[in-house]
Amino acid sequence: MASEDIAKLAETLAKTQVAGGQLSFKGKSLKLNTAEDAKDVIKEIEDFDGLEALRLEGNTVGVEAARVIAKALEKKSELKRCHWSDMFTGRLRSEIPPALISLGEGLITAGAQLVELDLSDNAFGPDGVRGFEALLKSSTCFTLHELKLNNCGMGVGGGKILAAALTECHRKSSAQGKPLALKVFMAGRNRLENDGATALAEAFGIIGTLEEVHMPQNGINHPGVTALAQAFAINPLLRVINLNDNTFTEKGAVAMAKTLKALRQVEVINFGDCLVRSKGAVAIADAVHGGLPKLKELNLSFGEIKRDAALSVAEAVADKVELEKLDLNGNNLGEEGCEQLQEVLDGFNMAKVLASLSDDEGEDDEDEDEDEEEEEEEEPQPGERRERPTAPPRKMLDPDGGEPAPVLSSPPPADVSTFLAFPSPEKLLRLGPKSSVLIAQQTDTSDPEKVVSAFLKVSSVFKDEATVRSAVQDAVDTLMKKAFSSSSFNSNAFLTRLLIHMGLLKSEDKIKAIANLYGPLMALNHMVQQEYFPKALAPLLLAFVTKPNGALESCSFARHNLLQTLYKV
């Protein structure tokens, strides 16, 4: 490096920001190729006592420079935040993984406990994920709260590697009694597509602590959206869901709407440019109407939504006192529809929350295609318009007419598939007196794994309330009697898989144990007393329920009841 370059670098470093445990080289445009190039950066790091945050954004770090920086980090055990976005500008993609591996090894050696890792805008592709895979699996990331990976080009392969690493991190940290509690996940513009999104959804379902998920522009269609919806349903702390510019269609929107009904903390929903269409918009309106008390922002822009569906959305936010923004721009309202939308919101004194409608595409008079089978076969290509389904008839609200007239239809009767996908006591009761038969018919009772799944879903809604308790017990009886009475059913395999899913038996499979054992224990207590239950299974069940287990101890009453019953069997 020339002497004038060294002088310039020294001058730049002299202006380095140091505040609140943070050392920042952000935006310095440093070109760090060799150990010599990085010498002054290393000195700054080594001389900084109590380093908690290191900002390297807006520079370019080579393999050799990364290695010596990592060496300096080996003594920085207090480091918690790594702001390392856009730090490989101009580098070959082959240079990035070894650089990341070195930096990760430095953090692991230091015994750092990260709470934030930002590697956005580094365009490292799937191989780059390999570069920090070991770091994610290590104890350094057991404390991670924020993971930011926007615009990294991970692709499907990188998404799968990332999902596996997060799952492993959760498994290892859980074994030490402090499960990974990730709160913020960002991975926009990564071409994750359905398979990558589905893999990550599985990891999200295992983690269960997410508060913000940002995954815009990833080419995700309704199968991936549905997988994410199912994962979001078991992350009850979710506040922000940003899936902008993916392709929901009605199927994905309806699946997401079901999840929104189960969430209570959501503040921001960004489904803009997601092609939710009219039927999807109505489903989302139904979810908003019945819940989401903390909602601050709802973006359904550019979704090919027609007037009636958009008005249903507007009416659904009438009681959202914290709402700050409703974005329905770029849909098919037409001039009259835009005026009606503004009138409806004005009737609630909420006109100010409505975003501009300047890009409305006008009312589309063509009939909409409701053929969902056709939709499954062919997703729309970029820039291609598709026919849209008709929103159900609705009644307009008269702001001066006292109580609002009914707008959204009441929830349809639950079906078995809906109950098994999102179990709740209410859905079970709505199935009616034939619920037990319907559930048994829906379940392949020749497959122990599927029987276990159905048993756990039914028992998960157990309540001491008489009607719910009776419905659960009836469903368990019908299901298990059918299974155990079949000569082809493997009872031992059933019990083994059940114990694994309850977290009472270890398995090589990556299966997340259910969080709450109360319902399953109470259902088992009933089941083992029935004539259809094979008595030969009782000693094995007794042995595992007797063993020390934190999940069992948190349900001491149900565990005690089951033990008392098993001793008598």
Side-chain angles (χ1 to χ4, degrees):
M1 180 179 282
S3 58
E4 58 269 24
D5 292 332
I6 295 176
K8 184 178 180 180
L9 176 60
E11 181 181 353
T12 300
L13 292 173
K15 298 176 182 178
T16 297
Q17 299 172 17
V18 179
Q22 174 176 281
L23 177 60
S24 177
F25 300 96
K26 181 178 180 179
K28 302 298 181 183
S29 299
L30 304 175
K31 293 182 176 63
L32 307 177
N33 297 318
T34 66
E36 179 66 20
D37 295 342
K39 180 176 63 175
D40 292 323
V41 173
I42 293 167
K43 186 176 188 307
E44 291 274 355
I45 293 172
E46 290 176 339
D47 292 346
F48 196 110
D49 292 329
L51 180 62
E52 295 184 6
L54 178 61
R55 308 197 75 105
L56 292 174
E57 311 104 305
N59 300 290
T60 179
V61 181
V63 175
E64 184 181 338
R67 190 177 300 120
V68 293
I69 290 173
K71 193 69 177 176
L73 292 176
E74 289 181 359
K75 298 179 181 178
K76 300 300 175 181
S77 60
E78 297 178 10
L79 188 60
K80 293 180 175 62
R81 299 183 183 275
C82 295
H83 302 280
W84 294 351
S85 63
D86 189 23
M87 58 179 276
F88 297 110
T89 303
R91 299 289 167 185
L92 297 174
R93 258 174 62 166
S94 60
E95 293 182 83
I96 300 175
L100 287 173
I101 289 171
S102 294
L103 292 168
E105 289 174 347
L107 296 173
I108 295 170
T109 301
Q113 299 285 285
L114 294 186
V115 296
E116 181 178 359
L117 177 61
D118 186 356
L119 292 171
S120 298
D121 301 317
N122 280 313
F124 43 57
D127 292 341
V129 185
R130 293 286 189 197
F132 61 95
E133 179 185 14
L135 173 62
L136 278 182
K137 292 180 178 180
S138 74
S139 59
T140 293
C141 286
F142 287 0
T143 50
L144 195 64
H145 286 170
E146 301 181 31
L147 180 59
K148 301 174 182 178
L149 299 165
N150 285 322
N151 196 30
C152 289
M154 291 188 291
V156 172
K160 290 181 176 180
I161 296 168
L162 176 61
L166 288 172
T167 301
E168 182 69 2
C169 181
H170 186 273
R171 185 190 69 79
K172 288 183 175 179
S173 57
S174 297
Q176 294 191 10
K178 295 181 179 179
L180 171 68
L182 190 67
K183 297 180 180 180
V184 177
F185 179 84
M186 297 184 178
R189 301 183 300 281
N190 270 291
R191 297 180 287 106
L192 294 169
E193 301 179 2
N194 287 334
D195 289 347
T198 299
L200 285 167
E202 293 177 5
F204 296 164
I206 291 170
I207 293 168
T209 56
L210 289 167
E211 296 181 13
E212 296 186 25
V213 175
H214 303 262
M215 297 174 65
Q217 297 180 25
N218 270 295
I220 306 170
N221 297 330
H222 72 79
V225 172
T226 299
L228 288 171
Q230 292 170 347
F232 293 166
I234 44 180
N235 280 266
L237 301 178
L238 266 175
R239 294 184 297 104
V240 178
I241 304 175
N242 176 9
L243 295 177
N244 186 283
D245 199 8
N246 289 291
T247 307
F248 282 38
T249 64
E250 293 91 342
K251 289 182 179 294
V254 169
M256 194 62 70
K258 290 178 182 177
T259 284
L260 291 175
K261 289 183 177 181
L263 299 175
R264 304 294 296 173
Q265 305 300 320
V266 174
E267 298 176 5
V268 176
I269 298 171
N270 187 345
F271 297 159
D273 207 13
C274 284
L275 202 65
V276 299
R277 296 186 171 139
S278 295
K279 186 182 292 185
V282 170
I284 292 169
D286 191 19
V288 172
H289 180 74
L292 304 179
K294 299 183 179 181
L295 189 63
K296 294 181 179 179
E297 181 177 335
L298 176 60
N299 184 347
L300 295 176
S301 60
F302 298 94
E304 295 194 0
I305 300 169
K306 285 193 170 183
R307 178 180 61 181
D308 284 349
L311 292 170
S312 293
V313 173
E315 290 167 0
V317 303
D319 62 344
K320 308 307 168 193
V321 295
E322 297 187 32
L323 190 69
E324 298 172 359
K325 183 178 181 180
L326 173 62
D327 193 345
L328 288 164
N329 196 20
N331 287 298
N332 300 107
L333 279 63
E335 184 177 349
E336 183 179 348
C338 290
E339 292 176 358
Q340 288 179 331
L341 185 64
Q342 291 168 332
E343 288 173 3
V344 168
L345 290 169
D346 191 49
F348 306 140
N349 294 318
M350 298 178 70
K352 65 180 181 180
V353 306
L354 183 63
S356 169
L357 298 173
S358 59
D359 293 320
D360 184 74
E361 296 189 4
E363 194 164 9
D364 187 350
D365 293 329
E366 295 180 10
D367 291 335
E368 294 178 339
D369 183 5
E370 295 187 56
D371 188 351
E372 294 183 356
E373 295 299 323
E374 182 177 333
E375 177 193 323
E376 279 187 349
E377 293 173 6
E378 182 180 358
E379 292 294 341
Q381 299 302 312
E384 177 184 345
R385 294 184 60 83
R386 289 279 305 270
E387 295 298 319
R388 302 177 298 275
T390 305
R394 49 173 300 286
K395 297 181 181 180
M396 286 296 296
L397 180 143
D398 180 0
D400 302 318
E403 291 296 320
V407 176
L408 299 169
S409 59
S410 58
D415 56 45
V416 180
S417 298
T418 301
F419 168 74
L420 292 175
F422 300 96
S424 73
E426 295 75 20
K427 290 193 184 83
L428 179 60
L429 295 178
R430 287 211 304 272
L431 287 174
K434 294 184 178 181
S435 61
S436 59
V437 175
L438 294 171
I439 291 170
Q441 289 176 343
Q442 184 82 5
T443 305
D444 179 2
T445 50
S446 66
D447 186 337
E449 180 68 24
K450 291 179 180 177
V451 175
V452 167
S453 176
F455 173 85
L456 290 174
K457 287 176 178 179
V458 169
S459 62
S460 71
V461 306
F462 183 94
K463 292 173 66 175
D464 290 318
E465 180 184 328
T467 53
V468 177
R469 181 174 66 246
S470 177
V472 169
Q473 291 175 349
D474 288 347
V476 167
D477 285 342
T478 305
L479 173 70
M480 299 313 305
K481 185 175 182 179
K482 181 181 178 183
F484 285 133
S485 63
S486 171
S487 58
S488 62
F489 185 70
N490 189 329
S491 300
N492 290 323
F494 163 78
L495 185 57
T496 299
R497 300 304 296 174
L498 179 61
L499 292 170
I500 289 171
H501 281 276
M502 292 176 68
L504 306 182
L505 179 63
K506 292 183 179 179
S507 168
E508 294 182 358
D509 299 335
K510 294 181 179 180
I511 294 176
K512 180 190 176 185
I514 59 176
N516 189 344
L517 294 181
Y518 180 77
L521 290 173
M522 295 299 285
L524 280 171
N525 184 52
H526 170 79
M527 183 176 73
V528 299
Q529 299 179 61
Q530 310 310 309
E531 291 185 2
Y532 61 75
F533 179 73
K535 305 307 178 191
L537 298 181
L540 182 60
L541 181 58
L542 177 62
F544 281 93
V545 178
T546 306
K547 287 183 177 181
N549 182 285
L552 286 173
E553 289 164 8
S554 66
C555 303
S556 57
F557 172 77
R559 180 191 194 184
H560 175 74
N561 280 358
L562 178 56
L563 286 173
Q564 290 293 97
T565 302
L566 287 170
Y567 282 126
K568 298 175 184 176
V569 172

